[in-house]
Amino acid sequence: MKIQLKNIHFSEQLSQETNAFSANLYINDIKAGAASNHGYGGATGYLPFDDEGMKLIQEAETHCKSLPPGTFTVDGKDYTIDMSLEHYIDNLLNDHLRQKDLQQFRKKVERAGERSIVIGVPDQSFKTLGLKFPVNMLLIHPKGPDILKDILIKRIVPNLKEGEQIMNTNIPGKILQSAGMNATQYVTPSETKPIKKANQKRKGHGL
C-alpha cells in the first residue's frame, strides 16, 4: 500500500515535545484526509475528507499493523514499538525533515565551494579553506589550475583525516588527481558542468 504526505507545513517554532505539522494524507495516490500534530507532545492525528477517505484510512490502519515494529534508541538502549498508521505518518514526516536538512546542508557546501576548498564528511560536516579568488575565476586563468594544485598538495592533502574528502564538485578531477589524490579522497566532480566566466566588469588582480 502506498501512503504519502503531501503539502507538508512544518513549524519549528511550535515544535516543543513533538514535531508540529499539518499535511495532506494520500493513500494509493488518492487524497484521503489530513494529518497533523500540534507539537505539544500529543499523538499525531488524522481525519478523512470523505467516505472514500475513511475507507482508505481504515485499510491503511490494517496494513500498518501488519508491518514490522519500528525501532528507536534512547540513551543508548534500543526499543521497539508496534507499527500503526500514526507511527507510519510520523516516520514519513521525519524522513521529509531529514531530506530537507540534507538539501540545506548540500546547498551550504555548494555555496562555500565557490570561494573555498571544502573539506569534510559528505552529508555530515565540513570546514573550509578560503581562497583569494573564486574557484571559477581560477579555473579560467592560465595559472589558476596550477595554483589550486599547489594549494591541494601543500595545505590539504597532508592534513586530510581518515573519512574526510574534498567536497568541491567544481574542481575538475584531473586537478585533484594531479595533486596525488585518489578517488576515495574527493566527491565526484562535475566534469561536464560549464564553468561560469568571471564578471568582466569586476576589476581583478594578477595571480
Side-chain angles (χ1 to χ4, degrees):
M1 175 170 279
K2 187 177 181 181
I3 303 172
Q4 298 171 287
L5 293 180
K6 296 185 179 182
N7 299 324
I8 299 172
H9 298 280
F10 168 73
S11 174
E12 186 174 357
Q13 291 79 7
L14 296 178
S15 299
Q16 297 181 19
E17 297 181 26
T18 50
N19 289 320
F21 81 100
S22 64
N24 290 328
L25 176 62
Y26 279 72
I27 301 173
N28 291 339
D29 295 321
I30 297 173
K31 189 177 180 180
S36 64
N37 191 301
H38 295 297
Y40 303 133
T44 292
Y46 48 87
L47 291 171
F49 285 138
D50 51 28
D51 290 341
E52 181 184 21
M54 173 68 78
K55 183 175 183 297
L56 286 168
I57 285 176
Q58 290 173 343
E59 292 174 356
E61 288 175 331
T62 300
H63 170 73
C64 289
K65 288 179 181 178
S66 70
L67 297 175
T71 60
F72 61 97
T73 302
V74 177
D75 295 331
K77 294 183 179 180
D78 294 330
Y79 298 88
T80 61
I81 185 170
D82 291 337
M83 186 54 64
S84 65
L85 180 56
E86 175 198 344
H87 296 314
Y88 195 96
I89 290 172
D90 286 339
N91 288 342
L92 289 176
L93 176 66
N94 289 334
D95 288 343
H96 167 78
L97 295 178
R98 280 193 292 269
Q99 285 299 314
K100 189 175 180 179
D101 287 343
L102 184 59
Q103 290 173 4
Q104 291 175 344
F105 177 86
R106 290 175 177 175
K107 287 181 180 179
K108 287 181 180 179
V109 171
E110 184 176 1
R111 287 196 296 269
E114 293 175 1
R115 293 195 64 95
S116 307
I117 294 178
V118 184
I119 311 101
V121 180
D123 295 338
Q124 294 186 33
S125 61
F126 72 92
K127 54 190 176 183
T128 61
L129 174 66
L131 300 171
K132 187 175 180 180
F133 300 95
V135 172
N136 66 334
M137 185 181 293
L138 288 170
L139 292 177
I140 62 175
H141 193 281
K143 296 180 181 179
D146 287 334
I147 291 174
L148 278 174
K149 176 184 173 181
D150 189 60
I151 293 173
L152 290 167
I153 292 174
K154 294 180 178 179
R155 303 188 61 183
I156 302 297
V157 175
N159 299 310
L160 202 62
K161 298 178 181 178
E162 184 176 356
E164 290 184 336
Q165 292 181 309
I166 302 299
M167 297 169 67
N168 295 69
T169 56
N170 55 346
I171 299 178
K174 61 182 180 181
I175 294 178
L176 298 166
Q177 293 160 12
S178 68
M181 304 187 72
N182 61 57
T184 66
Q185 294 178 305
Y186 57 85
V187 299
T188 303
S190 302
E191 300 284 4
T192 58
K193 188 175 181 179
I195 298 171
K196 295 180 181 179
K197 292 188 177 180
N199 190 337
Q200 298 300 320
K201 295 183 179 179
R202 178 182 296 176
K203 293 182 179 180
H205 300 278
L207 297 177

